[in-house]
Amino acid sequence: MTSGTRHDAADARQARDNAPVAMRGPSSVSGALTALERIPTVVLDDHLDIAVQVARRIASVIRARNAEGRDAVLGLATGSTPIGVYRELIRMHRDEGLSFRRVVSFNLDEYYPMPPDSIHSYHRFMWENLFAHVDADRKKVHIPDGTVPRPKLEAWCAGYERAIRDAGGIDIQILGIGKTGHIGFNEPGSGEQSRTRLVHLDALTRRDAAADFFGEDFVPREAVTMGVATIFAAREIVIIATGEHKARVVQRAVEGPVDIEVAATFLQRHPATTFYVDAAAAGDLTRVATPWLLDQVEWTPRRTIEAVTWLSAKVGRAILKLTQQDYAEHKLSSLVARHGSPGAVNGLVFNELGAKIRGKSKLPHGKRVVCFSPHPDDDVISMGGILRKLTENGNDIIVAYMTSGNIAVFDHDVRRHVDFLLRMQRDHGVGGADVKALAKKVTAFLARKKPGDVDIPEVADIKRLIREAEAISGLETVGLPATSGRFLNLPFYQTGKVKKDPIGPADVKIVKKLLQETDPDYIFVAGDLSDPHGTHRMCKEAIDAAVAELWPNRPRGPHAHRSTDAKAARSPEVWLYRGAWQEWPVTEATWLVPMSQEELRFKIQAIFKHQSQKDSMPFPGQDDREFWQRVEQRNKDTAAILDQLGLAEYFAMEAYVVD
Ligand code: F6R
């Protein structure tokens, strides 16, 4: 009986794993909450959970097809999204014997024109990120060819479609989604009947790819892509999105109407598609952003604050002026009922928000503080205001720059610094013959360098030094001595390319050593939910691992230092700043730190010290403004939000979340 039960459970699990998720229905979320969702959507905590689940699903398709004596046919994507899935498949190959001998694969797309050995080629991407690490059969790997002469392309594309059909059609197709809503490279305007073809890339897509190509001008204008109909023919589709920069397009694709301008919306008509999103990418789904509009919700303190601040913005009135009618008209009567009167809930939220404000007198005094800055400049961009206040409060501060940030320095900056060195040598005899030899080597390399070429060590090192000197100058601007800067140069970053290695024990060891040496009371960490190259997220991974090893029982939250466990109480309190691209919403922030006009000016001056990042940014992402302009706006906006909610009027504010 016991073994029978175990067997049944195992069979049931197996059957479950063998069924596409779309047929299993959405996860534990109530039907009302997902009523607006037209593609079954699974929200998981983070990208690693998604990678594991999707890889398992792919593995079960491979095993099921192979058990039937057939090859499994996979449709594969490139880009940053599926990398975790490929890592997990490689792990399953290594540890669990998952074989790719009987797998036929078809990739979605390739830039055009594009030689397969280019660092930008999707051929190279697939071999580097998956095929080279498993037992793939080269003959069964299909990736659109970026070298086919233009006159022959149409016939080549027809051949690709034929090859998919001949393989028996795609069993499971993996997709990412672009900010335009593209799947594959099916940009706005791609019809439901489109097939594999040459397409023009949308301006937004080219801009998103600019970082990888070391400038938008070098991004190809065209690509070969499977069409919407090609993708739609797959028996099962898994589409993945991670990071807050995808939140808007996820909401559009899942909840918006089918529209030729957003190719992913066509998936709403596919019978077996599942959207996997992490918490950040799910942020704009109604069930996450405003769940009270859909269903009865449980009124946690956090949700109460979110609902009342949302209502205040919606009706354009300060919190303390919200009325019974405002609540009733916006499906929030249950919140009033819970608290007895609008006045009670208004007062509660008003006080909660007010209690988050921490001026200088309420910030730490005389403590040890370590501020981790993923790149030189994140420290002053994100926490330039608090750094100055903490310095004035007599704290002992170390700013640890985790990477050199050297790939973001322009070559012309290197030339300028080499020229300076040559002049120092000529006029002051600095460096002797070594300077001339170095200058010659560097100049010759830069003259022959093509966009995207990896720098020679001398150039990479000069770029590192440029950023180190800027970082120190930035620290001095917020009142810190040069000795407070530490340059960790974590190994994961030292690939010379935009693509980094995964975080490894060597990275964690360096972070751990610093924490052991400094024994901080507080640490500050970039808590971005996403950043264009993932560097911030990876730096956080290294810090999390080091902290977990040093303080396995660390209590969390703003009052963790009051813990009664003596050893755990010695662990540092972790404050997360949001990084360069976005700010914590006031509802989510634990602490809001006001800044005067003068303090904001000092902060901006510190950002100016990062001159190599200032003139025109190599990695502008979606926003053309310089970092200091974004910072000014975001710090003023945070203060303005409190103002609109009817709290005190401050000039500017930084926001922090205590982990
Ligand atoms: C890649 C592809 C694209 C990407 C999309 C998202 O083969 O076809 O549709 O999936 O642009 O890119 P990432 O994952 O880099 O955000």
Side-chain angles (χ1 to χ4, degrees):
M1 177 68 196
T2 320
S3 81
T5 311
R6 245 202 335 259
H7 245 108
D8 293 346
D11 287 350
R13 213 169 32 243
Q14 181 72 46
R16 215 188 97 86
D17 275 359
N18 285 344
V21 177
M23 292 175 186
R24 294 180 220 152
S27 43
S28 58
V29 188
S30 102
L33 284 176
T34 55
L36 289 180
E37 294 172 14
R38 305 170 194 208
I39 301 175
T41 302
V42 177
V43 181
L44 296 174
D45 272 351
D46 76 36
H47 65 289
L48 296 174
D49 301 331
I50 295 178
V52 170
Q53 283 219 19
V54 173
R56 267 197 211 147
R57 178 72 205 127
I58 295 172
S60 75
V61 169
I62 296 176
R63 287 182 178 127
R65 298 299 277 176
N66 290 174
E68 292 162 9
R70 287 190 271 176
D71 286 353
V73 185
L74 309 184
L76 299 176
T78 57
S80 56
T81 310
I83 288 181
V85 175
Y86 297 151
R87 279 200 189 124
E88 179 61 13
L89 286 173
I90 293 166
R91 191 203 61 74
M92 291 172 102
H93 168 71
R94 197 185 54 227
D95 301 343
E96 297 170 17
L98 177 68
S99 172
F100 288 75
R101 287 321 281 176
R102 302 219 50 191
V103 167
V104 180
S105 68
F106 291 90
N107 259 80
L108 281 165
D109 40 21
E110 174 63 288
Y111 289 109
Y112 186 85
M114 183 58 66
D117 56 346
S118 158
I119 56 164
H120 305 303
S121 136
Y122 285 172
H123 273 260
R124 185 156 165 183
F125 175 100
M126 287 310 299
W127 283 95
E128 283 183 358
N129 287 291
L130 179 64
F131 298 136
H133 311 279
V134 296
D135 55 347
D137 180 346
R138 194 171 275 274
K139 294 188 295 297
K140 296 182 180 176
V141 169
H142 304 82
I143 303 174
D145 185 347
T147 65
V148 178
R150 210 169 270 272
K152 296 192 175 157
L153 252 183
E154 214 179 299
W156 189 93
C157 291
Y160 202 66
E161 289 280 335
R162 221 170 20 250
I164 296 174
R165 272 198 309 277
D166 292 349
I170 290 171
D171 290 310
I172 181 166
Q173 172 70 54
I174 307 303
L175 297 176
I177 181 168
K179 287 210 204 90
T180 59
H182 71 211
I183 47 176
F185 275 133
N186 291 286
E187 299 289 20
S190 297
E192 204 170 357
Q193 302 309 324
S194 55
R195 290 280 171 184
T196 304
R197 69 207 185 285
L198 184 68
V199 291
H200 277 278
L201 294 177
D202 188 89
L204 181 54
T205 299
R206 293 188 60 239
R207 201 164 193 196
D208 272 348
D212 292 340
F213 282 85
F214 295 84
E216 198 173 321
D217 290 347
F218 308 116
V219 182
R221 293 180 183 277
E222 292 171 297
V224 177
T225 182
M226 283 186 192
V228 173
T230 325
I231 294 170
F232 210 83
R235 282 180 274 280
E236 180 181 351
I237 296 176
V238 167
I239 174 163
I240 309 171
T242 57
E244 59 204 318
H245 59 301
K246 296 282 173 76
R248 192 184 300 175
V249 77
V250 166
Q251 188 277 336
R252 178 67 190 83
V254 172
E255 296 183 357
V258 173
D259 185 346
I260 194 167
E261 292 303 310
V262 186
T265 58
F266 289 124
L267 298 175
Q268 294 176 9
R269 297 182 176 148
H270 189 270
T273 291
T274 307
F275 216 135
Y276 281 87
V277 291
D278 68 356
D284 285 356
L285 290 177
T286 308
R287 72 159 119 153
V288 176
T290 49
W292 48 86
L293 294 177
L294 297 176
D295 200 2
Q296 292 290 342
V297 293
E298 199 192 318
W299 286 112
T300 58
R302 160 101 175 258
R303 190 166 277 164
T304 303
I305 296 179
E306 282 169 358
V308 175
T309 47
W310 169 83
L311 181 63
S312 166
K314 186 97 187 151
V315 301
R317 250 196 309 284
I319 290 176
L320 293 178
K321 293 182 182 165
L322 294 174
T323 64
Q324 177 78 45
Q325 194 181 347
D326 293 331
Y327 280 93
E329 282 175 0
H330 294 87
K331 305 203 173 182
L332 288 169
S333 298
S334 67
L335 189 54
V336 176
R338 202 183 137 89
H339 292 270
S341 69
V345 65
N346 290 350
L348 177 93
V349 173
F350 180 86
N351 289 338
E352 287 281 338
L353 287 173
K356 291 173 182 235
I357 301 169
R358 298 232 129 184
K360 199 166 97 182
S361 63
K362 289 192 189 159
L363 290 172
H365 284 73
K367 300 285 184 193
R368 285 183 301 275
V369 177
V370 172
C371 160
F372 285 103
S373 182
H375 304 93
D377 74 358
D378 292 307
D379 52 340
V380 287
I381 286 174
S382 300
M383 48 177 297
I386 203 174
L387 264 179
R388 197 176 173 81
K389 287 184 199 284
L390 291 173
T391 311
E392 287 167 353
N393 280 356
N395 293 288
D396 184 2
I397 304 171
I398 293 292
V399 179
Y401 299 100
M402 305 183 74
T403 71
S404 69
N406 61 357
I407 60 158
V409 176
F410 286 108
D411 294 339
H412 65 70
D413 256 339
V414 174
R415 283 198 201 95
R416 184 158 61 92
H417 281 81
V418 167
D419 178 57
F420 177 77
L421 277 179
L422 286 170
R423 287 169 196 278
M424 285 294 281
Q425 190 222 28
R426 188 195 63 196
D427 295 352
H428 296 280
V430 176
D434 290 352
V435 171
K436 273 206 175 127
L438 177 72
K440 199 167 159 211
K441 189 164 182 191
V442 166
T443 315
F445 167 74
L446 292 179
R448 64 170 190 272
K449 182 180 170 183
K450 289 192 297 298
D453 278 358
V454 174
D455 284 326
I456 55 171
E458 290 83 352
V459 171
D461 223 42
I462 293 173
K463 290 183 173 179
R464 169 180 68 81
L465 293 172
I466 290 174
R467 296 210 67 177
E468 286 189 5
E470 291 172 345
I472 296 298
S473 178
L475 287 181
E476 287 171 348
T477 311
V478 293
L480 282 166
T483 47
S484 54
R486 298 281 175 87
F487 297 94
L488 303 187
N489 258 313
L490 295 187
F492 86 92
Y493 185 84
Q494 296 179 31
T495 58
K497 292 180 268 178
V498 171
K499 185 171 173 282
K500 305 297 180 292
D501 290 334
I503 290 294
D507 302 295
V508 178
K509 195 170 155 199
I510 293 172
V511 176
K512 221 168 121 179
K513 187 157 167 272
L514 178 81
L515 289 172
Q516 280 166 325
E517 269 170 31
T518 49
D519 189 22
D521 302 297
Y522 293 88
I523 64 178
F524 286 79
V525 178
D528 308 46
L529 303 177
S530 62
D531 69 294
H533 306 149
T535 302
H536 288 206
R537 195 157 65 187
M538 293 173 78
C539 285
K540 182 165 185 297
E541 217 176 295
I543 301 166
D544 285 345
V547 168
E549 282 179 29
L550 288 170
W551 299 281
N553 303 319
R554 185 175 81 89
R556 308 182 95 172
H559 303 297
H561 54 280
R562 294 189 196 149
S563 161
T564 47
D565 171 346
K567 188 155 181 276
R570 282 289 314 121
S571 65
E573 191 171 290
V574 179
W575 289 34
L576 303 175
Y577 57 89
R578 190 62 175 279
W581 288 272
Q582 241 151 337
E583 184 57 285
W584 296 113
V586 297
T587 49
E588 216 169 311
T590 316
W591 306 129
L592 297 164
V593 179
M595 275 181 289
S596 65
Q597 186 165 12
E598 193 196 8
E599 286 172 319
L600 182 60
R601 208 175 49 236
F602 273 121
K603 173 173 174 169
I604 290 172
Q605 267 165 13
I607 298 171
F608 283 163
K609 296 298 186 296
H610 294 271
Q611 262 198 322
S612 67
Q613 308 301 297
K614 222 193 77 61
D615 45 2
S616 81
M617 289 174 302
F619 301 136
Q622 271 221 82
D623 191 336
D624 269 341
R625 291 169 306 164
E626 288 190 22
F627 276 125
W628 72 268
Q629 292 171 308
R630 300 188 221 182
V631 163
E632 183 179 38
Q633 187 73 47
R634 101 181 195 190
N635 290 162
K636 282 185 173 174
D637 281 354
T638 304
I641 288 168
L642 280 201
D643 179 16
Q644 283 149 19
L645 293 171
L647 284 107
E649 285 188 47
Y650 290 97
F651 188 77
M653 267 182 164
E654 289 175 346
Y656 297 90
V657 165
V658 174
D659 190 16

